[in-house]
Amino acid sequence: DPDAGKNVLYGMSKHVHQPGESMIKKPVVLLVDDSDDFREFMNEVLTDYTVVEAVNGQDAWNKIIDRRPDIILSDVMMPVMDGITMIREIKQDRTISHIPIIILSAKASVEDQLKGFEQGVDGYLTKPFSTSYLIGRIEAAINKRKATQTDIAKMMKQNGKVGYAGKTENSD
């Protein structure tokens, strides 16, 4: 297997779905980074997710509107549209501002991290990072979003309102 050495290097093994194995819909992760090598590595790490790739913030914006990912993982320094600008745009659009965002960046200063949190990111991991820690952060962010959606739906039902796609209507 030509990939065997790579899997050992990254400390992971590839999982291939076997016939009869559950094909439950995987959460969609939008991975935004201008490095081909990093995106390839992350695809190997994120085998439990459907990974949609974008090479910069503008490319990501188009894919967010089209795919509605469950979470966004983004670098900061990229051409065309950097990560902070992309995050600012996302957080200003009420139809997508709820999507959790985790920054994955080599920019490690407290000031850089604060810039991310000021824009509303859910996490900031500096490269290199622990892949198991990243997976834990992804799961926590997705689960928190699902719990919030469930709570909102319950409150709307209790208040006699039905909500969908950001709309609220009285059921009277």
Side-chain angles (χ1 to χ4, degrees):
D1 179 7
D3 290 334
K6 185 180 270 187
N7 291 336
V8 171
L9 174 67
Y10 295 132
M12 295 170 277
S13 61
K14 286 186 177 177
H15 176 76
V16 178
H17 285 282
Q18 300 299 321
E21 190 175 352
S22 174
M23 296 300 285
I24 296 171
K25 182 180 174 276
K26 297 178 179 182
V28 176
V29 173
L30 177 61
L31 175 62
V32 190
D33 198 294
D34 58 332
S35 167
D36 294 339
D37 290 340
F38 184 73
R39 289 192 320 273
E40 182 181 334
F41 167 70
M42 290 302 295
N43 268 290
E44 293 178 13
V45 170
L46 301 172
T47 56
D48 290 338
Y49 306 89
T50 298
V51 178
V52 177
E53 296 182 20
V55 296
N56 60 56
Q58 185 61 53
D59 185 25
W61 180 261
N62 298 330
K63 292 177 179 177
I64 292 166
I65 302 304
D66 184 46
R67 294 296 304 265
R68 302 293 173 153
D70 295 295
I71 191 165
I72 299 167
L73 306 179
S74 180
D75 191 8
V76 173
M77 298 179 294
M78 298 175 289
V80 185
M81 182 190 288
D82 66 72
I84 297 296
T85 303
M86 176 197 71
I87 292 163
R88 188 177 308 118
E89 295 291 322
I90 291 168
K91 294 302 180 181
Q92 290 175 357
D93 185 328
R94 291 181 52 93
T95 64
I96 58 175
S97 63
H98 62 280
I99 299 171
I101 302 171
I102 297 175
I103 291 177
L104 308 175
S105 179
K107 296 182 84 169
S109 75
V110 172
E111 292 82 14
D112 289 322
Q113 293 180 40
L114 285 173
K115 279 183 194 174
F117 287 114
E118 287 167 0
Q119 296 306 319
V121 300
D122 298 88
Y124 193 116
L125 278 67
T126 55
K127 297 175 185 174
F129 51 81
S130 159
T131 56
S132 59
Y133 181 72
L134 172 62
I135 299 293
R137 292 299 305 262
I138 291 170
E139 287 299 313
I142 290 173
N143 289 338
K144 180 179 176 185
R145 178 178 166 214
K146 285 180 184 174
T148 300
Q149 288 173 325
T150 300
D151 291 347
I152 290 169
K154 284 180 186 175
M155 286 189 304
M156 293 175 78
K157 187 174 181 181
Q158 289 171 351
N159 292 331
K161 298 180 179 187
V162 178
Y164 60 94
K167 297 178 183 176
T168 305
E169 299 174 356
N170 243 337
S171 58
D172 292 76

